[in-house]
Each structure stands twice: as C-alpha cells, then as structure tokens.
Amino acid sequence: MDVTLLLLAVAIGVEVAAPIGPINLIVMRTALERGFLPGAAAGLGSVMGDAAFAAFGIREVESLVLSHALILGLIGGTLLVVVGIVLARSHIDLEAMRASAQPISKRRIAKTFALTITNPATLFGMLAIFSGMGKALDLAAAPYRSSTAVAGVATGSLLWWIVVSGVVTLVRARLSAVWVDRINRWTGVAIAAFGFLLVFEALKR
C-alpha cells in the first residue's frame, strides 16, 4: 500500500468534510442531543456519500450532477428546509438524554447520506481538491491507487466526524438546558437557511 497516497486521500476526506455546512450542523446537533456515538454515526451517511463520489469517479459524477442540477438542488434544498424546521421546533430534554443511553439513528445516517449526494457543493468541492492534487494522487498509475484513494477519503471524513462529535459531547456537559435549547433552535434555522439557499441556487440555473 502507498502510505503517501493514503495520507493524501485522508487529508482530502477531512478537507471535504470540514467546511461548516448542513451536515456539520446535523452531526453537532445529534451529538448535543444524543452523545458521542450517535453523533459520530450521523456522519456515516456523509462518509458513504464522499466515498461514493470518489469511487464512481469525480468526472463521471460531475456530468451526472450537472445534467440533473435542478432536480438535485430542489430535492436537497427541500430536505434541508424540512429537517431544519423540524429541528428548530423540537425540544431537547437534556436531563433525560444524559440519564439514558441513546440509540444510533439509522434514519439520521440515511438523511446525511441523502443530503451529501444531492448537494452539488460537496461534489464541486471534492472536484476542485482532486483536480488540484491530481498529479500527486496519480490514480491512473496503478489499479490499486483508486481503491486506496477511496479508503483514504472515507477514513478522513470519518475522523472529522469523530472529532466533531467528541468536542460537542465534551462541551454539552457544561451547557445548561436553556443554552442547549437555544443552540438547537438556531441550528435548525441555519440548516433551513442552507436549504433555501440551495433551492434558490438551483432555480437560478
């Protein structure tokens, strides 16, 4: 295995996942509500989406996204608006959450996967990074390099969500119920705002 290639791909995975957007907000909110493991698990959907982009080939996925930009933007944006409104209207019972182990939500994993693959910004961010590092990655040099890159991207993305969930879980122990509710409400508003922006951008094309 080419360790340098793997480390480069891990760095790409982190770089793609790190920008603050709806997925980061959903993972933070999940960790705030349910704790470390459910929070990190919520990021698995994004990991799978990033890996899918890398596995199927950035250029091939780009043409698919460009040809269906309107429908993908409308679906992804509408989903974000609905998720944001639901979160903003919900209440987190902090004491009850701390007192009981919270299950990992398969629905939330599916949600972050759907949001990742319907968000053109994720694809184009990865496209820009892969284009800029294409010479260093040199994926055509050997058959194993593509699979190594996919594994690295997934690993980097997963590491980011583990760190995010861990930090939020540590912070939530110091927050009062009032502050948790405020953060929850504004997180929902921000996610809905991302959704409206995505719909607007899709309709502009």
Side-chain angles (χ1 to χ4, degrees), residues 58-59 62 124-137:
I58 296 297
R59 294 292 176 182
E62 179 190 19
F124 294 128
M126 189 176 287
L127 176 63
I129 295 168
F130 266 90
S131 298
M133 301 181 71
K135 191 172 182 180
L137 293 170

Side-chain angles (χ1 to χ4, degrees), residues 66-143:
L66 286 175
S67 61
H68 298 85
L70 175 60
I71 188 67
L72 288 174
L74 292 176
I75 291 172
T78 302
L79 185 56
L80 283 175
V81 171
V82 172
V83 169
I85 291 173
V86 170
L87 291 182
R89 290 171 57 86
S90 65
H91 167 70
I92 297 178
D93 188 341
L94 196 57
E95 295 306 316
M97 294 296 177
R98 286 171 177 167
S100 60
Q102 296 300 311
I104 291 172
S105 172
K106 294 178 182 177
R107 182 181 297 178
R108 210 157 290 192
I109 294 172
K111 189 184 298 177
T112 53
F113 175 74
L115 290 173
T116 299
I117 63 172
T118 57
N119 186 359
T122 303
L123 168 69
F124 294 128
M126 189 176 287
L127 176 63
I129 295 168
F130 266 90
S131 298
M133 301 181 71
K135 191 172 182 180
L137 293 170
D138 197 13
L139 298 181

Side-chain angles (χ1 to χ4, degrees), residues 158-172:
L158 180 59
L159 286 174
W160 174 256
W161 300 126
I162 288 172
V163 170
V164 168
S165 185
V167 170
V168 173
T169 302
L170 288 173
V171 170
R172 80 167 187 159

Side-chain angles (χ1 to χ4, degrees), residues 8 13 15 24 29 44 50 69 91 109-110 117 124 203:
L8 279 173
E15 197 170 349
N24 270 277
R29 198 269 185 186
L44 283 178
D50 292 340
H91 167 70
I109 294 172
I117 63 172
F124 294 128
L203 292 174

